[in-house]
Amino acid sequence: MIIERQTYSTVKYLLKVSLCFLLISCSSKKSIDADDQILADAENHSGEWLTHGLNYSEDRYSLLTQINKENVTTLGLAWSTNLKSKRGLEATPLIADGVMYVTGVWSIVYAIDASNGKIIWTYDPQVPKQQAERLCCDIVNRGVALYKGRIFSGTLDGRLISVDAKTGKLKWETMTVDSTKPYSITGAPRIVDGKVIIGNGGAEFGVRGYITAYDPENGNQLWRFYTVPGDPSKSFENKAMKAAAKTWSGEWWKYGGGGTAWDAMAYDPELKLLYVGTGNGSPWDRQYRSNGEGDNLYLSSILAINPSNGELIWYYQTTPGDSWDFTAAQHIILADLEMNGQKRKVLMQAPKNGFFYVLDRTNGKFISGDPFVYTNWAKRIDSISGRPIEEPGVHYETVNTDISPNYNGGHNWHPMAFNPKLNLVYIPARENVSNYGHDTSWKYNQTGFGTGNGWNLAIGTDPRNPTRHDTATKSFPRGMLIAWNPVQRKEVWRVSQEADWNGGVLATASDLVFQGTAQGDFICYDGSNGKILWQQNLGGGIIAPPISYMLDGKQYISIPVGWGGGYGMKKKFAPLQSGRIFTFVLNGNSPMPAFNQSSNTEIPTTTFSATAKEVAQGETLFWKYCGTCHVVNEGGGGLAPDLAYSRIVTDSSILFQVVKEGAYLSLGMPKFGNKLNKEDIINIQKYILTKAREKQIK
Ligand code: CA
């Protein structure tokens, strides 16, 4: 049975490769002109990387085989380009006709010569820097779309922009959100059915999610699909919203509801279905959001949408009544799998909730759902209903509860990859736990990070620094790369990783798997068994996924390196470096750039006096305004400095300039002049200095 399947896969693969050569030799269109036909055939333009996930199936499986298990040891640096940024790089670069299109911090778009790394043009959409206060997870962007000679990209302040791919000149831009609300865009647009499709984020602050289709020619809106219902006293936009409203209770629309589609999309041009993953509820705590009841459609769901009119065709909800930030906005991969002797058109996803799902993508029918990491919130997914069988008390109505996975997810946005020959999905996964609880003092505040189960619960535990664990979760958090067989529904191999926030994955037809780690190691694994074949340290932590392309007869592997993302704000595993794109080739011999070697972990000496009341007030304010990004004396912090080691904190006049006046706005540190007065800032300072000193004495 297994042999038969492998033979079938090999024949299918050989057919695909020969068809690919045939198409390349016959095609006269340039890749930069990528039209609907070219995009539908993207996987056969195997030397390019024309759309976010490589093709509409988003499998990130490159057919290039010049680099293989034998010669990968000779991989060396072809070029590196310094983007001179100091925050997270999450983008998947696109490649067309020898040019790389990639995004960096502040939604800046770069066109780079893919043969030598020279920047051809840069488009800076000039995002207002104060927008950083509306972001949960760093000033990042995950990439662009290419269509008919134009580049399309979202901006942190909610615009969709279109620039000329050759010149980088703006063609049009359109505001896709209500700017009075805390929306943001970090995800890559997709081109589907001749339309630009874009979602948004902001469910930690209180917004109503949606995705919108625009005309690529002029930016005119073609349709919009909301992911959660609005105020029922007004008319519903469509029958899907009317049906969804029956699964909500209370006055959710006042808090936005959430369900933001901030990352995953895939497309089946034959079925003409666009698949979109939706995010968590806003606020997280269902007691505040929906009186503690109901499935709250279409939170944490996979939606199949008709791209011609935005109509919902089917949905599958991975986490009914989400209370834990269990988004299903994670990477979606489409594949045709041989199951029980039948070929099934499937959709695969490993959302934050820790279960690996296989659905029939023609109708949304549940095929399987199995835990790929440690989970304690649900016993299993019921095979008939496709619903999770929850453990008691997991919605923390009365008692705080340790939940695994936590809001960082068993898998987050870092893309997976699927090797159809080996039938393996590679998941950049992690195991973790957090203590969730009902924050009785919570009040909705649209401009503040508001989850309803506050980080600073009166009951005590910052859920990001869990203190109570059962035996199974003792060594959490930890990271791992998992090779998962979606037919056999089991893990085939795993590599344990020291850190729990590692990069996205690339698979190639030579059965190689590439991934970067939080320590900055860029590693090539044997895709069949997880053995390390090659590795190179790139100085700083890696979160982005690698890509591969072919140019002038050479296969290249590229990866953006820039530590960050939500997790990276508070923690790091390697010294911070300038953001760079690294590109490797067989026998490459360019020298590595010089890296920063150390981080500052010295506590500055200072004298101060503080009353217990001042420190307590400072602590409350710290958790309201600073604690989303900063830590105090916890090993050095991440992108945002550990404030115990900050010399700025010891100098009140500089502290005022940074916190009140916004001296570091361009670095992504918002100004709080309209929220904090001098006394507030001094109390925060006293709290930080007290906490730093407490630990120092120990
Ligand atoms: Ca979230």
Side-chain angles (χ1 to χ4, degrees):
M1 190 66 195
I2 290 167
I3 294 167
E4 270 176 28
R5 184 162 60 237
Q6 281 183 347
T7 313
Y8 167 79
S9 300
T10 310
V11 170
K12 199 180 122 193
Y13 163 71
L14 289 174
L15 275 172
K16 217 183 237 184
V17 172
S18 25
L19 184 69
C20 140
F21 284 125
L22 199 70
L23 280 174
I24 285 172
S25 52
C26 296
S27 172
S28 59
K29 277 185 231 164
K30 296 200 72 163
S31 295
I32 198 178
D33 299 320
D35 57 15
D36 300 284
Q37 193 199 335
I38 290 176
L39 289 176
D41 277 338
E43 75 178 306
N44 296 321
H45 291 254
S46 60
E48 313 279 48
W49 195 289
L50 298 176
T51 180
H52 189 65
L54 180 60
N55 45 47
Y56 277 142
S57 299
E58 303 245 341
D59 59 21
R60 292 176 182 263
Y61 175 69
S62 167
L63 295 177
L64 300 176
T65 54
Q66 187 179 78
I67 299 169
N68 59 40
K69 289 183 193 180
E70 281 68 47
N71 63 21
V72 70
T73 49
T74 68
L75 210 55
L77 187 66
W79 55 262
S80 71
T81 297
N82 191 342
L83 299 185
K84 299 184 175 131
S85 57
K86 296 195 190 309
R87 302 283 289 264
L89 295 183
E90 296 186 349
T92 299
L94 299 192
I95 302 281
D97 300 324
V99 179
M100 173 183 288
Y101 300 96
V102 65
T103 50
V105 302
W106 293 120
S107 323
I108 297 172
V109 187
Y110 301 87
I112 295 172
D113 185 328
S115 71
N116 59 25
K118 291 211 167 65
I119 294 177
I120 300 167
W121 56 254
T122 300
Y123 181 78
D124 182 350
Q126 301 290 339
V127 171
K129 304 300 183 269
Q130 188 61 18
Q131 183 68 12
E133 75 172 339
R134 294 172 156 195
L135 306 173
C136 69
C137 306
D138 200 0
I139 52 175
V140 293
N141 184 282
R142 285 182 294 279
V144 303
L146 168 70
Y147 188 59
K148 296 184 178 174
R150 293 208 194 160
I151 296 297
F152 300 87
S153 191
T155 70
L156 285 168
D157 56 339
R159 286 171 288 156
L160 180 66
I161 61 168
S162 166
V163 299
D164 186 294
K166 286 213 168 79
T167 63
K169 293 269 180 304
L170 184 70
K171 288 285 186 183
W172 53 257
E173 66 169 34
T174 186
M175 182 51 85
T176 72
V177 301
D178 174 350
S179 297
T180 65
K181 300 202 159 76
Y183 283 104
S184 55
I185 298 179
T186 55
R190 310 295 203 281
I191 305 294
V192 163
D193 191 39
K195 303 171 179 72
V196 200
I197 315 287
I198 189 76
N200 47 48
E204 267 68 51
F205 298 85
V207 298
R208 182 185 181 198
Y210 56 85
I211 60 160
T212 316
Y214 291 92
D215 186 334
E217 193 53 42
N218 49 31
N220 290 343
Q221 184 178 318
L222 300 171
W223 54 255
R224 173 164 292 175
F225 182 79
Y226 284 96
T227 55
V228 295
D231 183 347
S233 71
K234 297 172 184 159
S235 65
F236 293 111
E237 289 86 358
N238 51 48
K239 61 178 197 290
M241 286 302 102
K242 196 174 173 189
K246 295 186 179 125
T247 67
W248 290 75
S249 177
E251 300 186 313
W252 71 88
W253 64 92
K254 292 186 172 168
Y255 315 130
T260 47
W262 53 266
D263 195 61
M265 290 186 233
Y267 179 49
D268 185 329
E270 259 176 57
L271 296 170
K272 223 179 165 190
L273 288 178
L274 162 69
Y275 304 99
V276 179
T278 69
N280 56 278
S282 179
W284 294 0
D285 189 339
R286 188 174 61 168
Q287 291 174 84
Y288 284 120
R289 191 178 71 232
S290 182
N291 278 339
E293 59 187 22
D295 286 352
N296 295 180
L297 293 171
Y298 303 93
L299 295 181
S300 307
S301 298
I302 295 160
L303 310 177
I305 288 169
N306 177 351
S308 52
N309 57 12
E311 188 193 349
L312 181 68
I313 304 299
W314 60 255
Y315 71 90
Y316 174 80
Q317 189 173 40
T318 60
T319 312
D322 166 50
S323 299
W324 314 277
D325 189 18
F326 281 171
T327 68
Q330 279 59 46
H331 187 183
I332 291 170
I333 294 179
L334 311 183
D336 295 345
L337 296 183
E338 188 89 356
M339 302 178 110
N340 301 321
Q342 251 191 320
K343 200 166 151 189
R344 301 287 298 266
K345 285 176 185 293
V346 309
L347 177 155
M348 302 183 285
Q349 192 192 46
K352 277 190 187 177
N353 77 14
F355 287 86
F356 187 93
Y357 293 88
V358 181
L359 306 180
D360 183 329
R361 73 171 180 273
T362 65
N363 55 19
K365 204 171 163 270
F366 174 83
I367 295 175
S368 63
D370 301 282
F372 60 95
V373 289
Y374 175 77
T375 60
N376 72 0
W377 68 280
K379 287 182 186 30
R380 62 178 189 280
I381 312 297
D382 182 77
S383 61
I384 308 297
S385 66
R387 288 179 69 91
I389 312 290
E390 287 177 2
E391 295 286 356
V394 290
H395 290 273
Y396 52 88
E397 287 96 340
T398 49
V399 183
N400 279 20
T401 314
D402 282 346
I403 299 287
S404 281
N406 67 10
Y407 54 89
N408 271 329
H411 169 231
N412 207 304
W413 60 267
H414 314 82
M416 313 185 291
F418 172 59
N419 180 325
K421 261 196 299 168
L422 299 174
N423 243 348
L424 291 178
V425 179
Y426 303 102
I427 315 169
R430 67 187 64 84
E431 292 183 332
N432 42 33
V433 61
S434 278
N435 189 249
Y436 289 72
H438 181 63
D439 180 357
T440 49
S441 67
W442 183 78
K443 280 198 179 58
Y444 177 58
N445 162 21
Q446 195 175 258
T447 56
F449 193 86
T451 61
N453 57 357
W455 307 119
N456 52 339
L457 269 182
I459 312 161
T461 314
D462 170 6
R464 283 172 296 188
N465 296 295
T467 52
R468 297 187 295 115
H469 306 298
D470 60 33
T471 4
T473 64
K474 214 175 252 173
S475 55
F476 286 0
R478 62 185 174 207
M480 64 275 302
L481 177 63
I482 294 173
W484 181 269
N485 186 313
V487 178
Q488 295 170 352
R489 300 169 55 180
K490 63 169 199 193
E491 179 182 307
V492 174
W493 55 260
R494 85 159 54 185
V495 173
S496 295
Q497 296 165 322
E498 188 189 325
D500 55 319
W501 192 248
N502 301 295
V505 180
L506 165 73
T508 78
S510 298
D511 296 342
L512 302 179
V513 171
F514 289 87
Q515 188 198 21
T517 70
Q519 283 87 1
D521 292 319
F522 188 34
I523 302 176
C524 176
Y525 297 98
D526 182 328
S528 57
N529 57 26
K531 199 179 139 214
I532 292 181
L533 301 175
W534 170 86
Q535 67 177 310
Q536 171 81 53
N537 189 274
L538 304 183
I542 302 169
I543 52 175
I547 62 151
S548 188
Y549 61 95
M550 195 87 173
L551 196 57
D552 302 326
K554 288 181 189 166
Q555 183 185 356
Y556 293 87
I557 309 278
S558 271
I559 184 152
V561 178
W563 181 246
Y567 181 102
M569 296 303 295
K570 303 182 92 174
K571 206 168 171 183
K572 63 179 178 291
F573 297 84
L576 297 176
Q577 310 290 346
S578 198
R580 285 188 178 88
I581 312 287
F582 286 88
T583 297
F584 294 87
V585 67
L586 293 177
N587 302 307
N589 56 9
S590 294
M592 278 286 166
F595 299 126
N596 294 332
Q597 294 304 328
S598 63
S599 303
N600 170 32
T601 52
E602 209 179 297
I603 295 177
T605 47
T606 184
T607 50
F608 70 101
S609 61
T611 65
K613 195 180 161 201
E614 287 168 337
V615 172
Q617 279 173 353
E619 179 172 15
T620 305
L621 292 168
F622 175 88
W623 281 108
K624 197 164 175 190
Y625 295 106
C626 323
T628 313
C629 299
H630 290 281
V631 293
V632 181
N633 212 348
E634 283 176 14
L639 273 185
D642 183 326
L643 297 175
Y645 315 139
S646 169
R647 283 177 198 288
I648 289 162
V649 174
T650 61
D651 185 324
S652 307
S653 65
I654 302 179
L655 189 64
F656 289 145
Q657 284 170 30
V658 172
V659 179
K660 219 169 152 43
E661 317 298 334
Y664 283 179
L665 258 182
S666 64
L667 298 176
M669 163 74 192
K671 67 173 166 187
F672 294 91
N674 56 347
K675 294 181 178 129
L676 297 169
N677 60 33
K678 285 198 173 180
E679 192 194 331
D680 294 335
I681 295 170
I682 292 294
N683 285 341
I684 292 173
Q685 180 192 39
K686 287 179 176 178
Y687 164 69
I688 293 168
L689 294 175
T690 304
K691 202 174 169 205
R693 184 189 267 182
E694 268 170 15
K695 287 212 183 173
Q696 200 176 21
I697 290 164
K698 274 181 209 166

